[in-house]
Amino acid sequence: MSSHSDTSAAPFRVDGEYDREYAGDGVSRYGAYVRARLDGSFAECWDGTWEEPSSRRVAFAAAAWRTAVGPVMSPGYVGYHSRVLSARVERSGWDGSLIAVVNLAAPWPAALARSREWQGGRRWRDWPTELRGDGYDFVDPTEQDVAEYPFLQASLALTFRVPVDRLPAAPEGPDDGAEERARLAVEGLVAELNHAVGPVLAVLEGGRSR
């Protein structure tokens, strides 16, 4: 489920080494994806759609993030912790601020974990996991799994405003350092999302064994 997942402490990380090693141009996979979208998803950042610099900054950051993760890039320029099921960054239609929505695989709520009455005599299972390299991923049960057991897969949705004052300004055009600014925007977003999501993830990982 997660994009190029790992089990490091941070929810998100920029995988610069992988990005360089597997770059078709020998420089950066992500840079190539940004260049391919300068006339598409990035164009609104300088085509007059948004007049205010703050609105263009938000639109550029959102476009940089969408380009850095699946389904655009697989594996993504941004790697996820195995508990991160999805992560969106988008412009709010209400006030134009930058909003993040992060979904995490979670253990059962304590009330459910303590009781068996709700199970009705059935042996409900938690999230299945699969070994991936040195870690694991939370995955959906297979049809064979479901034929044998019912599953209750709990998740948390974190929705929050992302500060943009530390993110780079949007380029004035496609030739105004768009690739480098996109990388800086992604790095800044990773730092902000880790700041918000990291403490939640630490608690979930601390209580992983039940």
Side-chain angles (χ1 to χ4, degrees):
M1 282 189 177
S2 50
S3 174
H4 203 45
S5 63
D6 62 48
T7 53
S8 62
F12 305 97
R13 62 186 175 85
V14 173
D15 197 344
E17 181 178 346
Y18 185 95
D19 186 64
R20 291 187 297 271
E21 183 177 354
Y22 290 91
D25 62 1
V27 179
S28 170
R29 287 176 67 240
Y30 179 62
Y33 276 83
V34 170
R35 290 194 301 273
R37 284 159 178 74
L38 291 177
D39 293 332
S41 57
F42 285 95
E44 68 174 3
C45 304
W46 49 72
D47 68 1
T49 301
W50 311 110
E51 295 183 2
E52 293 294 328
S54 59
S55 295
R56 293 195 296 110
R57 184 194 299 259
V58 166
F60 184 75
W65 183 267
R66 287 195 302 271
T67 304
V69 300
V72 175
M73 291 188 71
S74 181
Y77 180 51
V78 175
Y80 293 174
H81 185 278
S82 59
R83 281 197 183 273
V84 178
L85 304 175
S86 63
R88 303 195 321 269
V89 175
E90 55 196 28
R91 182 182 183 275
S92 168
W94 172 252
D95 62 1
S97 60
L98 192 62
I99 302 298
V101 181
V102 179
N103 288 279
L104 303 177
W108 291 348
L112 292 177
R114 287 195 303 265
S115 172
R116 292 190 178 275
E117 295 180 5
W118 62 272
Q119 298 195 40
R122 308 176 75 187
R123 297 179 60 187
W124 287 80
R125 295 294 183 93
D126 204 338
W127 280 95
T129 59
E130 287 184 358
L131 288 174
R132 301 282 174 88
D134 296 330
Y136 59 90
D137 270 355
F138 290 85
V139 298
D140 286 322
T142 65
E143 292 181 349
Q144 180 179 351
D145 291 334
V146 178
E148 297 178 4
Y149 298 99
F151 287 80
L152 192 157
Q153 297 156 257
S155 63
L156 299 176
L158 288 69
T159 305
F160 53 94
R161 185 170 180 168
V162 180
V164 299
D165 53 308
R166 297 182 182 179
L167 301 183
E172 295 297 328
D175 298 324
D176 186 23
E179 287 181 52
E180 180 60 22
R181 294 194 196 204
R183 275 190 284 269
L184 292 174
V186 169
E187 291 170 4
L189 288 170
V190 163
E192 295 292 349
L193 267 60
N194 282 345
H195 179 72
V197 180
V200 179
L201 180 62
V203 173
L204 294 179
E205 283 293 277
R208 181 156 56 94
S209 298
R210 288 191 280 106

